Amino acid sequence: MLILPDWSPEPPLQRLELDWLAHAGVEVAVLRLDLIDPQLSGNKWYKLKPHLREAAAAGRAGVMTLGGAHSNHLHAVAAAGVRFGFATVGLLRGEPCDTPTVRDLEAFGMRLHWLGYGGYRARHREDFWDAWRQRYPDLHPVPEGGGGLPGAQGCVELVELARRQLPALGWDDYHGWWLAVGTGTTLAGLALGEAGQRPVHGALAVSEDHGVPRRLAELGLAREHYHLQPACRGGFARLDDALLAFMRDTEDATGLSLEPLYTAKALLALRERVAAGEVPAGTRLIFVHTGGLQGWRH
Ligand SMILES: *Cc1c(COP(=O)(O)O)cnc(C)c1O
């Protein structure tokens, strides 16, 4: 039976020193979710925890979930399974292929099923899980990316984890959050945690027709508590030279490793807003490093 793991990592909050921030008088601290664990890294652990709680309450032996061949979510689920001793099944998009992520999933003991592309699209159908529930009656289904309200609720604690560390930075307060958005689940958790006290700025790593505002409304978020801006630069998986150069420059200047799909796009979007004069001097922001470095190995 799955027992809810008693694991409460403490992601450090660290100042980010970059010329373009200093010139604009803007201060940024990074909440390093990438550092919570070498295998189980990033925002995915926080989104997963409430799903594990549900699985434990239902007396299940493990979880089954969905993702692609580079999925940070599948990686976190499989790593949690091997670490905390519960069964995991991964339903993968597309045809079997060999990536560093897939090799890790196998090494972690996740059982994999490749659904093809059409089969994967069926995940949105209401009856999608029926056949998998029959096949694996002992496993608790977790939506793609660990989303939904449970996933968002798992991210609420990030607000407190960061606030606790403000005195060590010499900050008495901050003006808002900045982070990359895929499904918007992590942003929703921060906005729930702030309850309107400070704005949460989401840089959309996916294209604007992905339905993020609709999903945030379904999670009950008030429109005035968050701000979304386009940051996908032509498509989720599209990488351009300026983005890759920015990512390398940031790493050279600060030692902070980013990946190009989410975190580098989000920080570059902040630089663009700063360059446009939209972020007043004296602003203090918490940037969430949502992890994802495992998916960028090649
Ligand atoms: C999954 C992921 C995100 C997106 O998180 P959402 O909660 O879906 O918005 C952001 N950054 C990284 C590195 C991710 O792996």
Side-chain angles (χ1 to χ4, degrees):
M1 226 175 77
L2 191 156
I3 296 165
L4 184 68
D6 179 20
W7 183 51
S8 304
E10 304 240 340
L13 183 69
Q14 301 173 343
R15 271 177 191 279
L16 186 65
E17 311 278 359
L18 284 161
D19 286 350
W20 54 270
L21 289 170
H23 288 151
V26 173
E27 291 181 85
V28 170
V30 185
L31 186 63
R32 299 287 306 273
L33 305 188
D34 58 314
L35 291 183
I36 60 173
D37 184 86
Q39 304 291 2
L40 225 175
S41 147
N43 58 343
K44 300 301 187 281
W45 164 250
Y46 293 92
K47 300 205 286 179
L48 180 60
K49 209 155 94 172
H51 292 287
L52 296 182
R53 190 173 295 124
E54 286 181 355
R60 298 287 164 74
V63 298
M64 51 184 167
T65 189
L66 298 142
H70 300 275
S71 166
N72 296 321
H73 167 65
L74 285 181
H75 197 269
V77 169
V82 68
R83 170 88 46 95
F84 303 118
F86 59 85
T88 57
V89 164
L91 310 179
L92 283 98
R93 178 176 55 231
E95 302 308 324
C97 67
D98 184 35
T99 65
T101 304
V102 168
R103 283 196 287 278
D104 278 357
L105 301 182
E106 286 168 341
F108 294 154
M110 179 177 256
R111 176 136 187 220
L112 307 185
H113 296 277
W114 295 85
L115 304 191
Y117 290 96
Y120 196 79
R121 270 194 296 276
R123 71 192 180 283
H124 297 306
R125 289 174 33 174
E126 248 171 59
D127 61 355
F128 173 81
W129 287 107
D130 293 356
W132 294 106
R133 274 204 189 89
Q134 271 175 22
R135 178 154 183 180
Y136 295 112
D138 260 6
L139 301 188
H140 181 72
V142 174
E144 193 179 30
L149 191 57
Q153 282 163 342
C155 296
V156 170
E157 71 169 297
L158 296 176
V159 174
E160 196 42 47
L161 282 172
R163 282 185 189 169
R164 226 186 272 159
Q165 301 182 65
L166 295 177
L169 292 188
W171 286 16
D172 51 2
D173 205 350
Y174 60 102
H175 300 98
W177 295 82
W178 197 281
L179 78 159
V181 166
T183 63
T185 309
T186 309
L187 176 146
L190 296 173
L192 291 172
E194 284 289 352
Q197 293 177 64
R198 294 171 198 78
V200 185
H201 299 272
L204 270 175
V206 294
S207 61
E208 279 168 81
D209 58 9
H210 251 68
V212 172
R214 177 180 47 76
R215 224 171 295 127
L216 293 175
E218 284 166 9
L219 292 174
L221 290 200
R223 190 62 200 87
E224 61 273 22
H225 293 170
Y226 67 89
H227 305 273
L228 292 177
Q229 40 203 315
C232 85
R233 309 177 68 85
F236 172 62
R238 287 270 278 279
L239 313 177
D240 58 274
D241 290 344
L243 174 69
L244 295 173
F246 172 76
M247 191 173 88
R248 275 192 302 272
D249 291 349
T250 303
E251 179 157 3
D252 289 347
T254 66
L256 185 72
S257 294
L258 301 171
E259 47 65 56
L261 298 184
Y262 292 104
T263 47
K265 280 182 174 170
L267 191 62
L268 183 50
L270 175 60
R271 191 181 72 175
E272 288 168 358
R273 302 279 59 88
V274 166
E278 292 171 21
V279 186
T283 300
R284 286 174 165 165
L285 294 173
I286 300 177
F287 178 89
V288 184
H289 192 316
T290 39
L293 299 169
Q294 75 77 29
W296 179 237
R297 294 170 296 173
H298 40 207

